[in-house]
Amino acid sequence: MTALGAALPPLLRTRALGRTLVAHEEIGSTNDEAIRLAREGAPHGTVVLAERQTAGRGRRGRSWAGAPGNVFLSVVLRPDLPPRRAPELVPVVAVAAAEAVRGAGVDAGIKWPNDLLVGGRKVAGILTELSASAERIQSVVVGVGVNVNGLGADLPDEVRATATSLREVLGRDVSRAELVAALLERLEGWLDRHAAGGFAPVRTRYRELSATLGTRVRLIDADGTVEGVAEDIDEAGGLLLRRDDGTLERARTGDVTSLRSV
Ligand code: BTN
């Protein structure tokens, strides 16, 4: 067991999330390990933590740096949802992660779909991976990487300019165990609200925490590039973008770059 793995259980205030916990010093990717455990039947709420990742994965085929001092965490979820509603879980996780980071005293906002930014710089990323048949979700693995106490110098050149860490923002170290406990508690709370009330309460909170809505953005997705004003989040977590010609673009996934505030 790692130091973080040992410090976490006494702080947990969850029913299921983190009650089965695996903590590694070093691993390729906590998401890969969580997917492997999910296939073997790991229960809902199983958490995989690592001190370092050697093959961390990001969204859209990118890699995620595995520097020590940060949080690398994956959670196995077994939600009772039809597979077509799985995309709603992306904003559920983003809202939970944003609230946990804000609880640590850092004013994070959500860059659509699920990056956390502080002052325009990325402090956390989320990778959600679904395993489902046509009728049933087998598992959803939620991977969260938070730059907590890691040093900027340990980040690759291409992300250093656009990334920050909680320590850099606050000027002091942050307890990773408390942050992870808060994240799991928030995530369980939002999963409960989503199960009871559907996507509407998540959408309301996501809008409040969004750093993208109301700004001019460039969206890059599988269909190409579009520019416009990020106007709203739709009923499934998609982004509604108002083009300059007045027409509306609906994006389900992709990357946005902020151009300037409007
Ligand atoms: C992104 O912003 O592109 C998503 C990054 C997700 C990184 C986390 S770190 C823990 C988990 N394991 C992985 O390999 N990736 C996720």
Side-chain angles (χ1 to χ4, degrees):
M1 191 51 85
T2 62
L4 175 56
L8 182 60
L11 301 177
L12 282 178
R13 297 168 292 265
T14 50
R15 296 188 310 279
L17 302 200
R19 296 293 165 183
T20 303
L21 178 65
V22 194
H24 297 266
E25 273 307 329
E26 185 174 289
I27 200 162
S29 152
T30 56
N31 261 37
D32 288 346
E33 180 63 2
I35 290 169
R36 193 185 70 74
L37 293 173
R39 281 203 200 104
E40 284 181 355
H44 172 75
T46 299
V47 164
V48 180
L49 285 169
E51 291 295 314
R52 291 178 303 280
Q53 285 193 136
T54 54
R57 293 187 292 108
R59 290 176 60 240
R60 303 171 72 76
R62 289 183 287 245
S63 60
W64 183 260
N70 293 332
V71 161
F72 309 102
L73 155 125
S74 298
V75 191
V76 176
L77 302 179
R78 301 206 183 265
D80 186 13
L81 275 182
R84 66 181 164 75
R85 290 191 56 203
E88 294 175 20
L89 295 173
V90 170
V92 167
V93 181
V95 161
E99 287 188 346
V101 166
R102 288 164 85 99
V106 170
D107 194 17
I110 304 169
K111 180 170 89 107
W112 184 85
N114 57 5
D115 286 349
L116 296 191
L117 299 188
V118 183
R121 285 169 171 250
K122 183 157 165 172
V123 76
I126 298 168
L127 177 66
T128 306
E129 298 186 287
L130 171 70
S131 162
S133 64
E135 307 82 43
R136 267 197 71 242
I137 293 180
Q138 260 97 44
S139 68
V140 175
V141 165
V142 167
V144 187
V146 189
N147 298 334
V148 183
N149 300 320
L151 301 174
D154 288 337
L155 292 175
D157 291 350
E158 61 276 17
V159 296
R160 199 176 305 151
T162 55
T164 189
S165 66
L166 300 184
R167 178 166 88 170
E168 202 170 287
V169 175
L170 292 170
R172 58 170 170 79
D173 274 4
V174 168
S175 159
R176 292 182 304 155
E178 279 170 23
L179 181 75
V180 170
L183 174 56
L184 295 176
E185 185 182 10
R186 298 285 183 170
L187 182 54
E188 194 164 86
W190 278 106
L191 288 167
D192 286 350
R193 261 169 243 142
H194 180 247
F199 189 61
V202 180
R203 186 184 186 190
T204 303
R205 188 67 178 128
Y206 186 100
R207 283 177 172 132
E208 289 168 2
L209 293 167
S210 175
T212 300
L213 292 182
T215 68
R216 189 172 176 82
V217 297
R218 179 175 298 132
L219 165 79
I220 302 177
D221 67 6
D223 300 331
T225 303
V226 189
E227 277 184 30
V229 176
E231 199 168 271
D232 204 0
I233 298 300
D234 73 11
E235 55 295 324
L239 181 68
L240 297 176
L241 205 68
R242 183 72 62 184
R243 293 193 200 85
D244 294 343
D245 65 5
T247 56
L248 209 54
E249 168 88 13
R250 184 184 297 261
R252 306 214 173 283
T253 183
D255 274 325
V256 294
T257 315
S258 182
L259 297 176
R260 63 177 164 79
S261 293
V262 287

